[in-house]
Amino acid sequence: MKLKSLSASSYLSLVYLFFYIPIIILIVYSFNNTQYSLLWHGFTLRWYTELFEDSDLWIATWHSFFLGFAAATIATFVGMLAAVSLYRYRFLGRNFLNGLVFILILSPEIVTGASFLILYTLIKLELGFFTLLLSHISFCIPFVIVTLYSRLASFDRNIFEAAKDLGATDGVIFMRIFLPLLLPALMAGWLLSFTLSLDDVIISYFVSGPEFEILPLRIYSMVRSGIKPEINALCSVLFGVTLLFIVLSQLALRKKA
């Protein structure tokens, strides 16, 4: 039993090391006092200083966070209505629409990006913030629907029938029953959508314009000419912010428990 437990823990340790060693190397090299060499030349904060002085980079960061927040919020609202409709009501083509959701999730991003570009070209919509927003909302909605529908599938339908017997309308059932029960899934869907929007490169590459630059495309253009320590510093800051949010959420959940 001890041998089995030791082998399992060793396997998990190797998996976690495979995931986190590249991140640790990236953070360490963000303090390396050289621009192009992979050899250690001493400790420095120079790249963080240059990072915080790069106004164009911070504008792209603000654009990405604003775009992610807007896309996640709208996608969560639309996805919630779609998931509740697919779960609550029976109508012609319901199974077909449910299958289309999974097709959209499995569709390659390069196909989705090219499709959006063709659509915007046909309707003569100028590429920029609105094309990015519409595209990010569109590819986030299926993930929200799947997240919320899996939560809805665990509900006891008798709750809704009992509410109807007590005289509750569909609006009251939605506000008083659906929303409170769906709140954890709504938060999960919003965070997933925000992460997908913030991280997307392929679809954004097709539908972005010159007037609205976002962080993933900015990093991609910087990496094409070589990995600079400034990029390492930026990635380290983003990882630190993510880690901070995870710690705060765990503390909040512990206090709530």
Side-chain angles (χ1 to χ4, degrees), residues 94-113:
R94 174 179 172 273
N95 293 331
F96 176 72
L97 292 176
N98 198 19
L100 284 180
V101 172
F102 293 95
I103 292 176
L104 292 173
I105 291 176
L106 297 174
S107 177
E109 287 192 2
I110 192 169
V111 174
T112 305

Side-chain angles (χ1 to χ4, degrees), residues 9 13 37 49 60 65 119 121 125 135 172 195 197 204 226 239 244 247:
S9 61
S13 299
S37 176
T49 303
F65 275 90
L119 173 64
T121 303
L125 185 61
S135 302
V172 173
T195 304
S197 175
S204 300
F239 178 76
L244 177 63
V247 171

